Amino acid sequence: MAQHSTSPLEADIDARLLDFVRNQVDTFVKWDLVRFFHDNPYAVDTATNIARFTGRDSLTVERELGELAERGVLETSTAGEKRIYRYVKDLPTRDMIQRFVLACDDRNFRVRAINQVIEGLQ
């Protein structure tokens, strides 16, 4: 059986995607949130509502949304007393997220990314 050989370009893309996981999407909650905003690019909402949509704890979601905003993945604003989150408009960041989401369809990448998150949590 022939082994799949990774081209230098594929290896570089994988390395950048894994770096994205290591530095941006370093928890499974962040992974869900990045996926949520990728799938709903026009969503503008509070942490409480986003938590409801993603099926996650609102306090955890609020903390993770804040970190994603600090890392440039999301943008924030305030409406009265509430903080509102939206998908970043920066095209290179959106492109990286698009690549990440597409790469997650590949089982081998997904396993590597999951391992990256688990290693980071330890």
Side-chain angles (χ1 to χ4, degrees):
M1 184 181 241
Q3 285 188 326
H4 173 69
S5 173
T6 303
S7 73
L9 180 60
E10 285 178 308
D12 181 51
I13 290 171
D14 279 356
R16 287 185 299 167
L17 288 172
L18 290 173
D19 189 53
F20 176 76
V21 171
R22 199 172 13 261
N23 296 306
Q24 305 293 336
V25 189
D26 58 349
T27 69
F28 294 115
V29 174
K30 285 187 187 99
W31 192 324
D32 285 351
L33 295 171
V34 165
R35 184 69 193 233
F36 170 81
F37 280 100
H38 173 269
D39 293 347
N40 302 282
Y42 302 105
V44 179
D45 218 331
T46 63
T48 301
N49 287 334
I50 294 167
R52 189 175 12 251
F53 293 132
T54 59
R56 296 284 192 164
D57 171 71
S58 63
L59 292 176
T60 303
V61 166
E62 186 169 22
R63 181 184 67 242
E64 302 287 83
L65 287 169
E67 288 182 17
L68 286 170
E70 288 172 9
R71 296 172 182 182
V73 175
L74 300 177
E75 297 174 351
T76 64
S77 60
T78 54
E81 304 256 331
K82 297 185 182 206
R83 184 167 296 276
I84 305 296
Y85 298 88
R86 71 177 50 84
Y87 200 23
V88 70
K89 294 175 184 154
D90 180 65
L91 292 179
T93 301
R94 281 185 173 223
D95 181 56
M96 180 59 69
I97 291 167
Q98 174 72 19
R99 289 172 186 242
F100 168 72
V101 169
L102 290 174
C104 288
D105 289 339
D106 176 69
R107 183 188 181 285
N108 291 328
F109 174 79
R110 202 170 49 251
V111 167
R112 291 174 62 201
I114 288 168
N115 284 331
Q116 193 67 56
V117 171
I118 291 169
E119 287 175 18
L121 296 174
Q122 296 175 356

